[in-house]
Amino acid sequence: MIDFTRLPRKRKAYAGANGSKIAVVYNGAQYMLKFPPPPSRNKEMSYANSCISEYIACHIFESVGIPVQETLLGTYLINGKEKICVACRDFTSVGVILQDFASLKNQIIDSERNGYGTELSDILRTFEEQETIDRIELEERFWDMFIVDALIGNWDRHNGNWGFLYDTRDDSVSLAPVFDCGSSLYPQADDGIMRKVLEDISELNYRVFEIPTSSIMLNGKRINYHRFLTSGEYDRCNAALRRILPRINMDRIGEIVRSTPYISELQKDFYLTMLWARYEHILEPSLAMAQRLTQKQPPMEMEM
Protein backbone atom coordinates (compact mmCIF):
# COMPACT_ATOMS: atom_id res chain seq x y z
CA MET A 1 0.00 0.00 0.00
CA ILE A 2 1.61 3.26 -1.15
CA ASP A 3 0.51 6.77 -0.24
CA PHE A 4 1.55 9.02 -3.12
CA THR A 5 0.22 12.24 -1.53
CA ARG A 6 3.45 13.64 -0.13
CA LEU A 7 5.91 12.44 -2.75
CA PRO A 8 8.27 15.07 -4.21
CA ARG A 9 6.82 16.72 -7.32
CA LYS A 10 8.58 17.46 -10.61
CA ARG A 11 7.66 20.17 -13.13
CA LYS A 12 7.40 17.82 -16.09
CA ALA A 13 3.95 17.85 -17.70
CA TYR A 14 2.27 14.96 -19.52
CA ALA A 15 -0.16 15.20 -22.42
CA GLY A 16 -3.20 13.02 -23.05
CA ALA A 17 -6.93 13.37 -22.61
CA ASN A 18 -7.71 10.62 -20.11
CA GLY A 19 -7.48 12.09 -16.65
CA SER A 20 -5.10 14.37 -14.77
CA LYS A 21 -1.38 13.54 -14.57
CA ILE A 22 1.47 14.81 -12.42
CA ALA A 23 5.17 13.92 -12.19
CA VAL A 24 6.42 12.57 -8.85
CA VAL A 25 9.56 10.91 -7.52
CA TYR A 26 9.27 7.52 -5.82
CA ASN A 27 12.28 5.52 -4.60
CA GLY A 28 14.59 7.77 -6.61
CA ALA A 29 12.78 7.29 -9.93
CA GLN A 30 10.36 9.57 -11.76
CA TYR A 31 6.79 8.40 -12.25
CA MET A 32 3.72 9.77 -13.98
CA LEU A 33 0.89 9.68 -11.47
CA LYS A 34 -2.42 9.18 -13.28
CA PHE A 35 -5.83 10.02 -11.89
CA PRO A 36 -8.82 8.52 -13.70
CA PRO A 37 -11.24 10.85 -15.48
CA PRO A 38 -14.89 11.05 -14.44
CA PRO A 39 -16.86 8.23 -16.11
CA SER A 40 -18.16 9.30 -19.50
CA ARG A 41 -20.52 6.41 -20.27
CA ASN A 42 -21.76 5.01 -16.97
CA LYS A 43 -22.87 8.19 -15.16
CA GLU A 44 -23.85 6.18 -12.07
CA MET A 45 -20.21 5.55 -11.25
CA SER A 46 -18.55 8.08 -8.99
CA TYR A 47 -15.07 7.16 -10.20
CA ALA A 48 -13.82 5.14 -13.15
CA ASN A 49 -11.71 2.00 -12.71
CA SER A 50 -9.12 2.95 -15.33
CA CYS A 51 -6.27 3.03 -12.80
CA ILE A 52 -6.99 -0.59 -11.86
CA SER A 53 -7.25 -1.46 -15.56
CA GLU A 54 -3.91 0.23 -16.26
CA TYR A 55 -2.19 -1.69 -13.49
CA ILE A 56 -3.56 -5.15 -14.34
CA ALA A 57 -3.23 -4.74 -18.12
CA CYS A 58 0.40 -3.64 -17.89
CA HIS A 59 1.24 -6.59 -15.64
CA ILE A 60 -0.42 -8.91 -18.17
CA PHE A 61 1.78 -7.48 -20.94
CA GLU A 62 4.79 -8.02 -18.69
CA SER A 63 3.79 -11.64 -18.02
CA VAL A 64 3.70 -12.28 -21.79
CA GLY A 65 7.22 -10.91 -22.20
CA ILE A 66 6.36 -7.70 -24.06
CA PRO A 67 8.28 -4.60 -22.82
CA VAL A 68 5.84 -2.43 -20.88
CA GLN A 69 5.84 0.51 -18.48
CA GLU A 70 6.24 -0.34 -14.80
CA THR A 71 3.06 0.42 -12.82
CA LEU A 72 2.27 0.75 -9.11
CA LEU A 73 -1.07 1.25 -7.38
CA GLY A 74 -1.48 3.61 -4.49
CA THR A 75 -3.64 6.34 -3.00
CA TYR A 76 -3.68 10.13 -3.12
CA LEU A 77 -5.57 12.51 -0.87
CA ILE A 78 -7.76 14.88 -2.93
CA ASN A 79 -9.95 17.41 -1.09
CA GLY A 80 -9.87 15.24 2.00
CA LYS A 81 -10.86 12.08 0.12
CA GLU A 82 -8.53 9.18 -0.57
CA LYS A 83 -8.48 8.21 -4.24
CA ILE A 84 -6.85 5.22 -5.93
CA CYS A 85 -4.34 6.20 -8.61
CA VAL A 86 -1.67 4.49 -10.68
CA ALA A 87 1.98 5.46 -10.95
CA CYS A 88 3.64 4.72 -14.30
CA ARG A 89 7.43 4.83 -14.30
CA ASP A 90 8.75 7.40 -16.76
CA PHE A 91 10.81 5.52 -19.35
CA THR A 92 12.18 8.69 -20.95
CA SER A 93 15.38 10.34 -19.75
CA VAL A 94 17.67 13.26 -20.50
CA GLY A 95 18.05 13.31 -24.26
CA VAL A 96 15.57 10.44 -24.80
CA ILE A 97 12.05 11.50 -25.77
CA LEU A 98 8.87 9.60 -26.54
CA GLN A 99 7.43 9.97 -30.04
CA ASP A 100 4.15 8.36 -31.02
CA PHE A 101 3.39 6.22 -34.06
CA ALA A 102 1.42 9.10 -35.55
CA SER A 103 4.62 11.13 -35.80
CA LEU A 104 6.22 8.23 -37.65
CA LYS A 105 3.37 8.27 -40.18
CA ASN A 106 3.86 12.01 -40.59
CA GLN A 107 7.48 11.49 -41.66
CA ILE A 108 6.33 10.00 -44.97
CA ILE A 109 6.52 13.18 -47.02
CA ASP A 110 4.49 12.18 -50.07
CA SER A 111 1.65 10.69 -48.04
CA GLU A 112 -1.71 12.42 -47.71
CA ARG A 113 -2.75 10.16 -44.83
CA ASN A 114 -3.44 11.66 -41.42
CA GLY A 115 -0.95 10.55 -38.78
CA TYR A 116 -3.74 9.79 -36.34
CA GLY A 117 -5.93 7.93 -38.83
CA THR A 118 -6.28 4.30 -37.72
CA GLU A 119 -7.39 2.60 -40.92
CA LEU A 120 -5.52 -0.72 -40.93
CA SER A 121 -4.42 -0.48 -44.55
CA ASP A 122 -2.81 2.91 -43.87
CA ILE A 123 -0.98 1.55 -40.82
CA LEU A 124 0.32 -1.45 -42.77
CA ARG A 125 1.51 0.79 -45.60
CA THR A 126 3.34 2.96 -43.08
CA PHE A 127 5.27 -0.09 -41.88
CA GLU A 128 6.50 -0.61 -45.43
CA GLU A 129 7.21 3.02 -46.33
CA GLN A 130 8.84 4.37 -43.16
CA GLU A 131 12.63 4.19 -42.86
CA THR A 132 13.08 5.03 -39.16
CA ILE A 133 12.72 1.63 -37.48
CA ASP A 134 13.23 -1.91 -38.70
CA ARG A 135 9.98 -2.81 -40.47
CA ILE A 136 9.73 -6.34 -39.11
CA GLU A 137 10.38 -5.22 -35.53
CA LEU A 138 7.77 -2.46 -35.83
CA GLU A 139 5.09 -4.67 -37.39
CA GLU A 140 5.66 -7.49 -34.92
CA ARG A 141 5.19 -5.07 -32.00
CA PHE A 142 1.94 -3.82 -33.55
CA TRP A 143 0.45 -7.30 -33.95
CA ASP A 144 1.78 -8.54 -30.60
CA MET A 145 0.04 -5.61 -28.90
CA PHE A 146 -3.10 -6.31 -30.91
CA ILE A 147 -3.26 -9.89 -29.63
CA VAL A 148 -2.85 -8.89 -25.97
CA ASP A 149 -5.26 -5.98 -26.45
CA ALA A 150 -7.80 -8.52 -27.72
CA LEU A 151 -7.34 -10.49 -24.50
CA ILE A 152 -7.73 -7.48 -22.20
CA GLY A 153 -10.44 -5.80 -24.29
CA ASN A 154 -8.56 -2.58 -25.06
CA TRP A 155 -10.78 -0.26 -27.10
CA ASP A 156 -8.38 2.69 -27.38
CA ARG A 157 -5.00 1.58 -28.81
CA HIS A 158 -4.67 4.38 -31.34
CA ASN A 159 -1.62 5.89 -33.08
CA GLY A 160 -1.02 8.32 -30.22
CA ASN A 161 -0.45 5.76 -27.46
CA TRP A 162 2.27 3.57 -28.81
CA GLY A 163 5.51 4.48 -30.49
CA PHE A 164 9.25 4.79 -30.10
CA LEU A 165 12.00 6.48 -28.13
CA TYR A 166 14.21 9.00 -29.93
CA ASP A 167 17.69 9.58 -28.52
CA THR A 168 18.72 13.10 -29.43
CA ARG A 169 22.33 12.39 -28.49
CA ASP A 170 23.04 9.91 -31.27
CA ASP A 171 19.94 10.21 -33.51
CA SER A 172 18.91 6.62 -32.73
CA VAL A 173 15.44 5.19 -32.21
CA SER A 174 14.04 2.15 -30.41
CA LEU A 175 10.56 0.86 -29.72
CA ALA A 176 9.04 2.29 -26.55
CA PRO A 177 7.60 0.01 -23.90
CA VAL A 178 3.85 -0.52 -24.12
CA PHE A 179 1.97 2.19 -22.22
CA ASP A 180 -1.49 3.68 -21.74
CA CYS A 181 -3.61 0.58 -21.13
CA GLY A 182 -6.31 2.17 -18.98
CA SER A 183 -9.06 1.62 -21.58
CA SER A 184 -8.96 -2.12 -20.94
CA LEU A 185 -10.90 -4.54 -18.78
CA TYR A 186 -14.19 -2.64 -18.96
CA PRO A 187 -13.11 0.31 -16.79
CA GLN A 188 -16.62 1.75 -16.52
CA ALA A 189 -18.33 -1.42 -15.33
CA ASP A 190 -19.80 -0.80 -11.88
CA ASP A 191 -20.78 -3.49 -9.36
CA GLY A 192 -24.23 -3.86 -10.90
CA ILE A 193 -22.85 -4.48 -14.38
CA MET A 194 -20.28 -6.91 -13.01
CA ARG A 195 -22.94 -8.95 -11.21
CA LYS A 196 -25.15 -8.97 -14.30
CA VAL A 197 -22.30 -10.28 -16.45
CA LEU A 198 -21.40 -12.98 -13.94
CA GLU A 199 -25.03 -14.11 -13.66
CA ASP A 200 -26.23 -13.83 -17.27
CA ILE A 201 -24.36 -15.69 -20.02
CA SER A 202 -25.88 -13.43 -22.70
CA GLU A 203 -24.40 -10.37 -21.00
CA LEU A 204 -21.01 -12.09 -20.83
CA ASN A 205 -21.14 -13.19 -24.46
CA TYR A 206 -22.04 -9.68 -25.58
CA ARG A 207 -18.85 -8.40 -23.93
CA VAL A 208 -16.78 -11.15 -25.51
CA PHE A 209 -18.10 -11.28 -29.05
CA GLU A 210 -19.34 -7.72 -29.64
CA ILE A 211 -17.70 -5.20 -27.30
CA PRO A 212 -15.26 -3.68 -26.91
CA THR A 213 -14.04 -3.20 -30.46
CA SER A 214 -10.53 -2.14 -31.41
CA SER A 215 -9.81 1.49 -32.28
CA ILE A 216 -8.14 0.17 -35.45
CA MET A 217 -10.46 0.53 -38.43
CA LEU A 218 -11.12 -1.88 -41.29
CA ASN A 219 -12.90 -0.28 -44.23
CA GLY A 220 -14.04 2.59 -42.04
CA LYS A 221 -15.42 0.45 -39.18
CA ARG A 222 -13.83 -0.40 -35.86
CA ILE A 223 -12.45 -3.94 -35.86
CA ASN A 224 -14.39 -6.59 -33.97
CA TYR A 225 -11.69 -8.62 -32.24
CA HIS A 226 -13.48 -11.98 -32.50
CA ARG A 227 -14.51 -11.75 -36.14
CA PHE A 228 -11.19 -10.30 -37.25
CA LEU A 229 -8.90 -12.76 -35.48
CA THR A 230 -10.90 -15.89 -36.25
CA SER A 231 -11.00 -14.95 -39.95
CA GLY A 232 -7.27 -15.67 -40.29
CA GLU A 233 -7.09 -13.12 -43.10
CA TYR A 234 -3.81 -11.45 -42.17
CA ASP A 235 -0.70 -13.65 -42.23
CA ARG A 236 1.38 -11.47 -39.92
CA CYS A 237 -1.46 -11.33 -37.42
CA ASN A 238 -1.62 -15.14 -37.56
CA ALA A 239 2.13 -15.24 -36.95
CA ALA A 240 1.61 -13.08 -33.86
CA LEU A 241 -1.04 -15.50 -32.59
CA ARG A 242 1.42 -18.37 -32.95
CA ARG A 243 4.12 -16.29 -31.26
CA ILE A 244 2.09 -14.85 -28.35
CA LEU A 245 -0.43 -17.54 -27.36
CA PRO A 246 2.19 -20.00 -26.03
CA ARG A 247 3.47 -17.17 -23.81
CA ILE A 248 0.07 -16.44 -22.23
CA ASN A 249 -0.10 -18.21 -18.89
CA MET A 250 -3.63 -17.84 -17.57
CA ASP A 251 -2.64 -19.17 -14.15
CA ARG A 252 -0.03 -16.42 -13.89
CA ILE A 253 -2.61 -13.86 -15.02
CA GLY A 254 -4.94 -15.19 -12.35
CA GLU A 255 -2.25 -14.53 -9.75
CA ILE A 256 -1.88 -10.96 -11.03
CA VAL A 257 -5.60 -10.28 -10.65
CA ARG A 258 -5.96 -11.99 -7.27
CA SER A 259 -2.97 -10.07 -5.83
CA THR A 260 -4.14 -6.67 -7.09
CA PRO A 261 -4.77 -4.37 -4.10
CA TYR A 262 -7.80 -2.15 -3.51
CA ILE A 263 -10.30 -4.28 -5.48
CA SER A 264 -13.17 -6.39 -4.18
CA GLU A 265 -13.76 -10.11 -4.64
CA LEU A 266 -16.54 -9.19 -7.07
CA GLN A 267 -14.09 -7.23 -9.20
CA LYS A 268 -11.58 -10.08 -9.12
CA ASP A 269 -14.23 -12.59 -10.19
CA PHE A 270 -15.37 -10.28 -12.98
CA TYR A 271 -11.87 -9.66 -14.35
CA LEU A 272 -10.91 -13.34 -14.22
CA THR A 273 -14.18 -14.43 -15.83
CA MET A 274 -13.81 -11.96 -18.69
CA LEU A 275 -10.14 -12.74 -19.28
CA TRP A 276 -10.78 -16.49 -19.37
CA ALA A 277 -13.79 -16.02 -21.66
CA ARG A 278 -11.87 -13.83 -24.09
CA TYR A 279 -8.95 -16.26 -24.05
CA GLU A 280 -11.12 -19.32 -24.70
CA HIS A 281 -13.58 -17.79 -27.18
CA ILE A 282 -11.37 -15.34 -29.10
CA LEU A 283 -7.70 -16.27 -28.84
CA GLU A 284 -7.80 -20.07 -28.75
CA PRO A 285 -10.06 -20.51 -31.82
CA SER A 286 -8.07 -17.82 -33.63
CA LEU A 287 -4.84 -19.71 -32.99
CA ALA A 288 -6.46 -22.93 -34.19
CA MET A 289 -7.46 -21.17 -37.42
CA ALA A 290 -3.94 -19.75 -37.85
CA GLN A 291 -2.44 -23.21 -37.43
CA ARG A 292 -4.86 -24.76 -39.94
CA LEU A 293 -4.01 -22.09 -42.49
CA THR A 294 -0.29 -22.70 -41.95
CA GLN A 295 -0.75 -26.42 -42.61
CA LYS A 296 -2.61 -25.68 -45.85
CA GLN A 297 0.13 -23.45 -47.22
CA PRO A 298 2.21 -25.11 -49.97
CA PRO A 299 5.85 -25.80 -49.04
CA MET A 300 8.41 -23.23 -50.16
CA GLU A 301 10.29 -24.23 -53.30
CA MET A 302 13.99 -24.64 -52.79
CA GLU A 303 16.21 -22.38 -54.82
CA MET A 304 18.73 -24.19 -56.99
Side-chain angles (χ1 to χ4, degrees), residues 226-235 237-239 241-242 245 282-297:
H226 176 261
R227 288 193 284 273
F228 181 86
L229 288 172
T230 55
S231 73
E233 184 177 350
Y234 288 81
D235 291 341
C237 180
N238 294 338
L241 281 163
R242 295 190 295 270
L245 263 289
I282 298 179
L283 296 189
E284 285 192 324
S286 299
L287 176 61
M289 171 62 77
Q291 291 172 333
R292 286 196 297 272
L293 291 172
T294 299
Q295 293 169 358
K296 290 180 181 179
Q297 290 177 355

Side-chain angles (χ1 to χ4, degrees), residues 274-286:
M274 294 311 307
L275 286 165
W276 269 106
R278 297 184 71 84
Y279 179 78
E280 292 177 338
H281 297 302
I282 298 179
L283 296 189
E284 285 192 324
S286 299

Side-chain angles (χ1 to χ4, degrees), residues 13-246:
Y14 297 98
N18 294 325
S20 301
K21 306 172 182 71
I22 61 174
V24 298
V25 177
Y26 176 71
N27 283 351
Q30 185 162 307
Y31 285 78
M32 175 180 65
L33 203 59
K34 295 179 70 173
F35 303 87
S40 58
R41 298 182 181 181
N42 183 358
K43 299 300 183 181
E44 299 302 314
M45 291 185 66
S46 59
Y47 214 54
N49 292 320
S50 59
C51 289
I52 302 295
S53 298
E54 184 91 54
Y55 175 85
I56 295 176
C58 287
H59 281 75
I60 289 174
F61 268 103
E62 181 184 29
S63 75
V64 177
I66 297 175
V68 64
Q69 65 180 1
E70 176 191 330
T71 54
L72 304 168
L73 281 177
T75 57
Y76 198 96
L77 202 62
I78 303 174
N79 297 325
K81 293 183 179 180
E82 191 176 72
K83 297 290 187 179
I84 297 171
C85 51
V86 62
C88 306
R89 185 162 181 164
D90 194 326
F91 46 74
T92 63
S93 58
V94 176
V96 179
I97 60 176
L98 174 65
Q99 295 187 312
D100 59 23
F101 180 70
S103 65
L104 187 64
K105 287 183 70 179
N106 287 338
Q107 287 183 350
I108 302 174
I109 297 172
D110 61 351
S111 173
E112 297 179 356
R113 300 189 296 276
N114 185 313
Y116 288 96
T118 57
E119 183 67 35
L120 179 60
S121 58
D122 288 348
I123 292 173
L124 298 181
R125 278 199 295 272
T126 299
F127 296 153
E128 299 290 340
E129 296 172 4
Q130 61 83 34
E131 299 178 348
T132 301
I133 301 179
D134 178 78
R135 178 190 63 78
I136 294 176
E137 183 182 10
L138 183 64
E139 187 162 9
E140 284 188 353
R141 171 61 63 83
F142 171 80
W143 287 119
D144 288 353
M145 282 194 307
F146 188 89
I147 301 305
V148 179
D149 282 340
L151 173 65
I152 62 180
N154 190 347
W155 52 267
D156 197 34
R157 179 74 65 198
H158 51 74
N159 296 341
N161 61 13
W162 74 287
F164 56 98
L165 297 173
Y166 172 62
D167 192 327
T168 62
R169 297 165 297 184
D170 59 9
D171 198 40
S172 64
V173 296
S174 60
L175 286 174
V178 174
F179 62 96
D180 201 356
C181 301
S183 298
S184 308
L185 295 168
Y186 312 89
Q188 296 200 42
D190 60 15
D191 286 359
I193 291 174
M194 291 182 187
R195 289 192 185 95
K196 186 183 295 185
V197 170
L198 293 174
E199 295 168 359
D200 188 339
I201 189 65
S202 65
E203 292 285 345
L204 185 147
N205 286 339
Y206 175 62
R207 287 164 177 81
V208 172
F209 297 109
E210 299 300 330
I211 63 169
T213 52
S214 170
S215 65
I216 307 301
M217 311 282 279
L218 184 62
N219 299 322
K221 295 182 180 180
R222 291 171 67 102
I223 287 176
N224 175 288
Y225 281 117
H226 176 261
R227 288 193 284 273
F228 181 86
L229 288 172
T230 55
S231 73
E233 184 177 350
Y234 288 81
D235 291 341
R236 291 193 175 99
C237 180
N238 294 338
L241 281 163
R242 295 190 295 270
R243 184 167 57 246
I244 294 297
L245 263 289

Side-chain angles (χ1 to χ4, degrees), residues 242-289:
R242 295 190 295 270
R243 184 167 57 246
I244 294 297
L245 263 289
R247 290 153 53 181
I248 295 177
N249 184 324
M250 292 303 295
D251 291 334
R252 173 69 187 114
I253 289 175
E255 293 173 3
I256 292 170
V257 173
R258 282 189 289 271
S259 64
T260 297
Y262 306 113
I263 61 175
S264 66
E265 290 302 314
L266 173 62
Q267 287 174 289
K268 293 177 183 179
D269 289 345
F270 173 76
Y271 293 140
L272 289 172
T273 297
M274 294 311 307
L275 286 165
W276 269 106
R278 297 184 71 84
Y279 179 78
E280 292 177 338
H281 297 302
I282 298 179
L283 296 189
E284 285 192 324
S286 299
L287 176 61
M289 171 62 77

